[in-house]
Amino acid sequence: GHHKLLLAAVDTVWCAVVGCYVTEDYFLEKEGVFLLIDLLETCPRSMHNLILGCLLDLSENPKTIPHITAWRGVGDVSAPHLLCKMWREDEQDIGVPRENNGAIADIQKPLMGKYQERQGVTSLPTHCPSQAVVDVSENMRAKIYGLFCKIGFIELSGITTEDHVTLTIIEHYLDFKLGEVWTEVVSELEQEQVRPITPDREALEVITRTVQDRAQHVQDVQ
């Protein structure tokens, strides 16, 4: 019962507040963003995706960002630390291999979880999303990346060394995800026995090499 009430409350904020500047300003004035992040810190994980989505849409309003960065939770925890912690928990759930210090373990698959890897790459019609694209909607990493794009990746308060390691991955999430999509394109072409023309094949090789170099660079930084 409590979960339904909380979901209804967040959904009401999303529908009735987000997108209307007058109500957004009033919501911010009443410390609504603080309350949303308080809820994010304490609620069941099944609700995280909904609250993150609401926060992300609210952050389109520049006035929201100072509220997010000023928030403090239990034990003086900051919002960036909370988001990094949620990212690590999400990756643990989907089985992404990481080193003991949280660094990238496989530069060829810097984001891929065990389930996505087991599914493999199959030839699909053009209207069907591939595993790399489906993964974006099945976990919270894209929303966490979106929030960090709003609040920034440097000079963040309350983050630990472990968070810094995690942040280097979050910052390159879009690059790595694009790399996954291009890898799937190459695999599907091979399965369908389609040979790209020479300029296209060279471009694919450059893209693949660039993504791996980027992952290697991130791993070195970590």
Side-chain angles (χ1 to χ4, degrees), residues 2 10 15 33 35 51 54 62 78 84 95 105 110 123 126 135 148 167-168 170 182 202 216:
H2 288 102
V10 176
C15 294
V33 169
L35 295 173
I51 300 170
C54 185
S78 68
C84 286
S123 183
T126 54
D135 173 75
F148 272 111
L167 268 173
T168 56
I170 298 175
W182 279 111
E202 290 174 352
Q216 182 66 63

Side-chain angles (χ1 to χ4, degrees), residues 112-120 131-132 135 177 180:
M112 192 177 295
K114 291 180 180 177
Y115 177 75
Q116 185 183 340
E117 190 172 6
R118 281 200 303 268
Q119 290 291 99
Q131 284 299 316
D135 173 75
K177 184 54 66 175
E180 279 187 6

Side-chain angles (χ1 to χ4, degrees), residues 7-20:
L7 285 169
V10 176
D11 190 48
T12 301
V13 171
W14 211 343
C15 294
V17 175
V18 176
C20 176

Side-chain angles (χ1 to χ4, degrees), residues 20-141:
C20 176
Y21 289 129
V22 175
T23 51
E24 281 184 0
D25 287 347
Y26 190 72
F27 184 74
L28 293 171
E29 184 183 325
K30 294 297 182 181
E31 299 186 347
V33 169
F34 290 164
L35 295 173
L36 273 177
I37 308 179
D38 284 343
L39 182 59
L40 186 64
E41 184 183 29
T42 57
C43 73
R45 293 186 64 187
S46 56
M47 291 180 59
H48 286 177
N49 228 336
L50 179 73
I51 300 170
L52 283 172
C54 185
L55 273 173
L56 185 57
D57 280 357
L58 265 174
S59 66
E60 291 295 319
N61 185 337
K63 297 177 184 176
T64 303
I65 308 306
H67 288 254
I68 296 176
T69 54
W71 176 87
R72 290 295 181 272
V74 178
D76 204 33
V77 169
S78 68
H81 171 74
L82 178 64
L83 292 172
C84 286
K85 180 171 173 284
M86 290 172 60
W87 176 285
R88 289 190 292 269
E89 290 173 349
D90 209 28
E91 288 201 327
Q92 193 172 6
D93 281 352
I94 60 181
V96 180
R98 293 282 180 246
E99 299 289 353
N100 293 333
N101 63 352
I104 293 173
D106 186 349
I107 62 170
Q108 294 186 336
K109 303 169 186 174
L111 291 178
M112 192 177 295
K114 291 180 180 177
Y115 177 75
Q116 185 183 340
E117 190 172 6
R118 281 200 303 268
Q119 290 291 99
V121 179
T122 54
S123 183
L124 297 169
T126 54
H127 65 276
C128 293
S130 67
Q131 284 299 316
V133 176
V134 170
D135 173 75
V136 174
S137 60
E138 286 189 338
N139 54 67
M140 299 179 288
R141 293 186 296 178

Side-chain angles (χ1 to χ4, degrees), residues 87 98 104 107-111 132 168-183 210-219:
W87 176 285
R98 293 282 180 246
I104 293 173
I107 62 170
Q108 294 186 336
K109 303 169 186 174
L111 291 178
T168 56
I169 299 174
I170 298 175
E171 188 173 1
H172 293 89
Y173 172 79
L174 187 58
D175 295 330
F176 294 154
K177 184 54 66 175
L178 285 171
E180 279 187 6
V181 173
W182 279 111
T183 300
T210 302
V211 172
Q212 289 185 8
D213 289 347
R214 184 69 55 85
Q216 182 66 63
H217 171 71
V218 171
Q219 190 183 52

Side-chain angles (χ1 to χ4, degrees), residues 156-172:
L156 299 171
S157 59
I159 60 174
T160 64
T161 304
E162 188 179 17
D163 294 336
H164 277 292
V165 172
T166 304
L167 268 173
T168 56
I169 299 174
I170 298 175
E171 188 173 1
H172 293 89

